Amino acid sequence: MPESTQIHDALGAFDKTTSHWGRITMIIGLFFSLAAPAYLVFFSGLDIELSGIFAAFAALAAVFGVIWIVEPLTYYPILGASSMYQAFMIGNISNKLLPAAMIAQSTIGVKPGTRKGELASVAAICGAAAVHLTSLFIFVGLLGTWLVSVIPADIVQTVQLYILPTVMGAVLIQAIVSQKSPRAAVIALVVSLIVVFVLSPLSPKMALFSTAIAVISTAVLAWVLRDRQKTDVAERAEEETPPEGPVY
Amino acid sequence: MYLAAAVDNNSTDILAVANSPFLWACAIGVFPVIIIHSVIYMKAAQIAAPHIGMTHQEIKTSCRAGAISALGPSLAVVMVAVALLTVFGTPAVLVRIGLIGSVSYETAAAAIAANSAGAELGGPTYTQADFGLALAAMTLGGAMWMIATLILTPLLKRGDSALRKVNPAIMLVVPGATMVGAFMVLGLGELPRSWIHVIAFGSSALIMTVLMIIAKRVDRPWIKEWALGIAIILSLVITHLATRA
């Protein structure tokens, strides 16, 4: 058998195994994650209206719908087909899995986008997953649950009441810094100020849609008022490079 | 149903529901799925490696490098996850924040769901039913990422050209603006609730800004990794002191 056919067969088998089992395990993971709320909604005795869930989901789709599609598109060229299922099931992609893959590739001296790079990143993500599962299980599952049970009630109450503004303050700054688009940040600030302090007080019904209104207006305005020089350069650069096929 | 005693729509003891055995079972169930998945992938990589001129040692080295580099980020995630335990309970935090999702999206999703029902995440009126709604919305939102991955990956693998024609300028501007817009309106929306909410939001944003500036000045990537956890814990301490003032 010629060497090239052998390589082709070996990689074909790898692609087949990873995409077959990657999909199956992802669907099982999806099932376990959906089972928890399904139980609360249908069997626990709590009155959770389906219409309420649809309304919440619609609000979420209006806010994050674009990102649901764009994120897999963005990560595909970096991760490669086999790691896609791995990454989107394990989560925390940008802060943990991508750095792990890149460090592994540079450790053994292979380039991202090549087949060697792909195998290195698969192995790196497996290693990262092992560490992550272990630390989550021990520090959150066991120690965390214990910690919550022993800390004083007034501290628990502070955390419950104020965790949302605390998380949002830090996450917002992180998002602004990582996006490197001060223009979009200013637009978001102006739009949100108007929505929160002018529109929402006008009618309580407005509050239900306030997030979606603010996010959609920000996205549209950021697009209309974009820095055309910068983005159009990106557009032209993309047009000149021919679309890439799967990387072999 | 053995949960019956603890279940009460109007009860704000959300942990009675959030830490229920069935939710624990679902959360623990995800662990072996990821372990089996990793074992299959690792074996497949080991088998394919020699055929493209990689040694088994190189695959092992990659695995170890990935494991070591994940230590910092994993513990950083743990720190944030523990802070969220009182709002979502351990099982939901393990699955939604630790695995599958991420802190920012899942918390935003839960807040949006609570808002759509006129409730306040973690607030004095945050009931068991509100938690159920928030968990359902977070999970459905997270499921959309997985479904998008399941549908798009085979298409991208075939080199589907329609997907590659998505205007790159839109890809550059819109997702980023969406994220900043969502966190901005959810954050500012907390401000009218009380002056302590203002302190919580302001101190957390300020600490994060300082940490980002320091990380840039001294070029230490680990500061960026730990920034979210440090900002959340420190501003919770400040907020707690403010409640007693």
Side-chain angles (χ1 to χ4, degrees):
Chain A
M1 187 159 60
E3 203 184 344
S4 63
T5 332
Q6 203 191 340
I7 293 173
H8 187 82
D9 286 351
L11 290 175
F14 173 77
D15 287 341
K16 217 173 157 186
T17 311
T18 51
S19 60
H20 180 71
W21 287 104
R23 294 178 75 81
I24 290 178
T25 43
M26 188 176 225
I27 290 166
I28 300 173
L30 190 58
F31 169 80
F32 272 115
S33 79
L34 287 170
Y39 165 76
L40 287 186
V41 172
F42 297 113
F43 305 110
S44 70
L46 284 175
D47 268 329
I48 305 170
E49 297 279 336
L50 280 181
S51 61
I53 296 176
F54 287 133
F57 182 73
L60 268 192
V63 175
F64 289 132
V66 176
I67 296 180
W68 289 337
I69 313 279
V70 166
E71 238 181 34
L73 291 181
T74 318
Y75 284 133
Y76 181 83
I78 313 173
L79 291 168
S82 49
S83 291
M84 285 288 280
Y85 302 115
Q86 226 181 349
F88 278 88
M89 187 160 66
I90 301 170
N92 292 292
I93 300 175
S94 60
N95 57 352
K96 192 187 66 201
L97 300 185
L98 285 183
M102 283 178 332
I103 286 171
Q105 287 168 347
S106 71
T107 307
I108 64 164
V110 294
K111 288 206 177 77
T114 63
R115 290 317 297 254
K116 285 188 184 182
E118 193 182 340
L119 289 196
S121 89
V122 163
I125 293 178
C126 289
V131 166
H132 194 58
L133 287 179
T134 314
S135 59
L136 272 179
F137 185 74
I138 296 173
F139 295 111
V140 180
L142 301 177
L143 285 180
T145 313
W146 169 79
L147 191 68
V148 171
S149 69
V150 294
I151 49 177
D154 63 327
I155 295 182
V156 170
Q157 205 195 3
T158 302
V159 176
Q160 269 190 343
L161 280 173
Y162 304 108
I163 190 74
L164 184 58
T166 321
V167 170
M168 284 304 144
V171 163
L172 172 64
I173 300 297
Q174 230 179 11
I176 292 174
V177 171
S178 72
Q179 289 309 313
K180 297 192 182 83
S181 167
R183 200 178 288 223
V186 173
I187 293 169
L189 176 65
V190 173
V191 168
S192 301
L193 283 173
I194 294 172
V195 167
V196 171
F197 293 100
V198 181
L199 294 182
S200 297
L202 286 180
S203 118
K205 271 202 173 160
M206 275 292 302
L208 306 188
F209 308 106
S210 61
T211 316
I213 292 171
V215 170
I216 293 168
S217 319
T218 302
V220 170
L221 285 173
W223 172 247
V224 174
L225 305 171
R226 71 187 182 276
D227 186 345
R228 277 161 209 272
Q229 268 182 330
K230 217 166 99 190
T231 51
D232 290 354
V233 168
E235 199 165 350
R236 269 199 303 280
E238 196 82 11
E239 272 166 13
E240 278 160 17
T241 42
E244 288 170 31
V247 188
Y248 285 103
Chain B
M1 221 26 77
Y2 53 90
L3 241 182
V7 168
D8 175 0
N9 284 307
N10 302 317
S11 165
T12 54
D13 179 17
I14 66 118
L15 292 185
V17 167
N19 285 336
S20 70
F22 189 86
L23 265 58
W24 266 106
C26 293
I28 297 296
V30 177
F31 281 73
V33 176
I34 294 178
I35 293 170
I36 292 166
H37 174 106
S38 298
V39 171
I40 294 170
Y41 267 54
M42 204 56 201
K43 279 214 168 130
Q46 292 276 21
I47 293 167
H51 298 280
I52 57 166
M54 279 176 99
T55 61
H56 282 170
Q57 192 53 45
E58 279 179 312
I59 295 287
K60 268 189 202 155
T61 308
S62 301
C63 181
R64 195 180 323 124
I68 293 168
S69 74
L71 267 175
S74 285
L75 293 176
V77 170
V78 162
M79 191 168 166
V80 179
V82 170
L84 286 161
L85 283 177
T86 59
V87 186
F88 299 125
T90 311
V93 165
L94 281 178
V95 173
R96 306 271 23 124
I97 314 281
L99 305 168
I100 300 176
S102 65
V103 185
S104 40
Y105 286 127
E106 302 292 334
T107 315
I112 291 168
N115 286 346
S116 77
E120 188 186 334
L121 191 73
T125 58
Y126 180 56
T127 61
Q128 292 183 352
D130 294 334
F131 164 75
L133 178 68
L135 180 63
M138 284 159 107
T139 307
L140 287 174
M144 294 311 289
W145 262 282
M146 291 171 117
I147 291 167
T149 305
L150 286 168
I151 294 172
L152 291 174
T153 306
L155 295 179
L156 287 164
K157 210 172 165 189
R158 258 184 262 137
D160 199 304
S161 53
L163 283 173
R164 289 172 191 275
K165 279 191 194 133
V166 179
N167 187 335
I170 290 188
M171 295 272 278
L172 202 64
V173 174
V174 172
T178 308
M179 264 170 60
V180 174
F183 300 141
M184 184 76 83
V185 71
L186 287 171
L188 296 187
E190 291 295 301
L191 301 183
R193 296 201 201 280
S194 80
W195 66 272
I196 299 177
H197 283 82
V198 177
I199 289 182
F201 178 78
S203 62
S204 167
L206 187 71
I207 294 167
M208 182 56 108
T209 310
V210 172
L211 288 172
M212 286 295 184
I213 293 170
I214 296 175
K216 206 174 171 187
R217 285 271 166 81
V218 300
D219 193 28
R220 291 276 191 285
W222 68 264
I223 298 179
K224 277 193 176 170
E225 233 165 74
W226 286 85
L228 187 59
I230 296 171
I232 289 173
I233 301 292
L234 277 184
S235 64
L236 279 175
V237 172
I238 295 171
T239 308
H240 187 65
L241 294 177
T243 59
R244 317 190 107 196

